[in-house]
Amino acid sequence: MAKTDTATPGKTSFLKEFLHDNPQGNTKAVNEAWQAAGFDGTISTALVYKTRASLGLTGNLRGKTKKPKTAAKGKATSTGKKLGRPRKEPTSAVNGQPRGRKSARTLALTELEADIDRLIFKVMGVGDLTEIEDSLRQARRLLYITANGR
């Protein structure tokens, strides 16, 4: 006897066919289509995501699907950069000043410390002035203790 095609299709085959026509379809959309086709029960979220993954359709489906605006508006496609919140401030000081609120005295002491560092390197460049290098290093340490309260 010939078998007739009156049986319901399997959930997986229905799901593959639906996702082929609607690649952005989520669990809610799949179940609405399943019910509209007159089938009983529901298709599990796990099966939807497993099938989407096997078809290479993984991604964020929280919001309902939106129509692409790129073709209509002439927008450029993705550049491949990672998405995220853009920074409003640079991560490092641009003008050489330390970030945060510092008093004028602290800023002056920090600048003086940097000047002593530069002077130490100049003395090292001349060579054979170890006593002067040591004295400058000692002065720098005292300045550091004064500036940082240690």
Side-chain angles (χ1 to χ4, degrees):
M1 281 190 201
K3 192 173 184 180
T4 58
D5 195 21
T6 57
T8 63
K11 290 182 179 182
T12 304
S13 62
F14 176 85
L15 190 52
K16 284 182 180 179
E17 196 172 308
F18 178 82
L19 291 174
H20 179 69
D21 295 336
N22 306 294
Q24 295 292 320
N26 57 16
T27 306
K28 183 178 177 184
V30 168
N31 279 314
E32 286 173 0
W34 180 258
Q35 296 293 324
F39 301 119
D40 292 331
T42 60
I43 298 176
S44 71
T45 303
L47 182 59
V48 171
Y49 286 111
K50 180 181 172 187
T51 306
R52 284 182 56 80
S54 70
L55 295 174
L57 301 174
T58 57
N60 184 356
L61 297 177
R62 278 185 258 164
K64 187 73 171 152
T65 61
K66 293 184 179 180
K67 298 199 184 236
K69 298 178 187 176
T70 56
K73 300 280 182 178
K75 267 188 166 180
T77 58
S78 173
T79 60
K81 292 183 179 180
K82 289 184 178 181
L83 298 177
R85 292 175 33 191
R87 295 182 186 263
K88 295 188 180 188
E89 292 182 8
T91 56
S92 63
V94 176
N95 59 1
Q97 296 294 323
R99 290 175 57 170
R101 293 185 179 177
K102 305 247 177 170
S103 69
R105 182 175 190 271
T106 304
L107 291 175
L109 292 174
T110 303
E111 188 177 332
L112 186 57
E113 186 180 348
D115 289 341
I116 292 174
D117 280 341
R118 287 186 211 99
L119 189 56
I120 290 172
F121 282 107
K122 283 184 182 181
V123 171
M124 287 170 58
V126 172
D128 292 331
L129 299 172
T130 54
E131 289 180 27
I132 295 173
E133 286 179 40
D134 292 340
S135 297
L136 288 170
R137 285 191 181 101
Q138 186 178 5
R140 185 186 179 279
R141 285 186 201 110
L142 288 171
L143 184 62
Y144 180 82
I145 290 170
T146 303
N148 296 310
R150 292 182 186 173

